[in-house]
Amino acid sequence: MAETKPKTSPKAIKFLFGGLAGMGATVFVQPLDLVKNRMQLSGQGTKAREYKTSFHALFSILKNEGLGGIYTGLSAGLLRQATYTTTRLGIYTILFEKMTGADGRPPNFLLKALIGMTAGATGAFVGTPAEVALIRMTADGRLPADQRRGYTNVFNALARITREEGLTTLWRGCVPTMARAVVVNAAQLASYSQSKQALLDSGQDHTLRAKC
């Protein structure tokens, strides 16, 4: 009896789930991202260093800004994942399938890495405006009250940055952001695909295919 090929979800659904998974993770890591950004900016200019440790930073933010303060910039974090994660996974999957041979042989590891680099760079470029908004929104609370930008959400931030500073400001820092994404995705996506292929070749294909 011929083996029935297991059904898989449409590509659009996979991309959607990938983006939603990244957005879900952001809800949990946003407070840590906020603390990281505040600590990196601590002591900027002539100001004394504000935070001694990560816990000190977290408790100081909670004390001064309340529980909602640790989720400042959440909308920007969610938009970043919706743009960056969805784009990089989508580009990687599309290019991976185009580079797969007619006999079903997947691209070699070097080609996988190059595909990952392309996907990472593209995703980072698309996601940089949200990244700029995220950094500004998370840093706003440490400024004196009369100097705060007071963005209400990520869309307000993007609109005001464009209106007050020009469209190109949304891509400030784009080159190092893309460079970081190139390295991360070349290692992450290529390693994942190579490990998956090794397991498939070892005879675990029925289990893996059922999960993919």
Side-chain angles (χ1 to χ4, degrees), residues 26 29-42 44 50-51 57 61 65 68-78 80 130-143 148-154 157 161:
T26 296
V29 303
Q30 179 64 25
L32 300 177
D33 211 16
L34 175 72
V35 169
K36 172 185 72 74
N37 290 341
R38 292 283 183 90
M39 290 192 71
Q40 289 176 336
L41 294 171
S42 181
Q44 184 182 38
E50 300 160 89
Y51 309 118
I61 294 168
E65 302 174 43
I70 63 173
Y71 276 98
T72 300
L74 177 61
S75 61
L78 293 174
R80 179 184 180 276
E131 181 87 21
V132 170
L134 174 63
I135 296 298
R136 292 194 177 197
M137 292 177 74
T138 54
D140 215 30
R142 64 180 296 274
L143 297 174
R148 294 177 185 176
R149 299 180 176 93
Y151 299 132
T152 55
N153 55 61
V154 65
I161 291 171

Side-chain angles (χ1 to χ4, degrees), residues 146-198:
D146 60 338
Q147 296 180 23
R148 294 177 185 176
R149 299 180 176 93
Y151 299 132
T152 55
N153 55 61
V154 65
F155 300 108
N156 174 255
L158 296 174
R160 282 182 52 190
I161 291 171
T162 301
R163 183 174 65 250
E164 297 167 8
E165 304 173 53
L167 183 64
T168 56
T169 305
L170 295 178
W171 277 272
R172 183 174 293 169
C174 182
V175 172
T177 301
M178 291 174 67
R180 179 182 181 277
V182 163
V183 175
V184 169
N185 286 278
Q188 184 186 67
L189 297 179
S191 297
Y192 166 78
S193 294
Q194 193 69 23
S195 299
K196 177 181 175 181
Q197 181 185 337

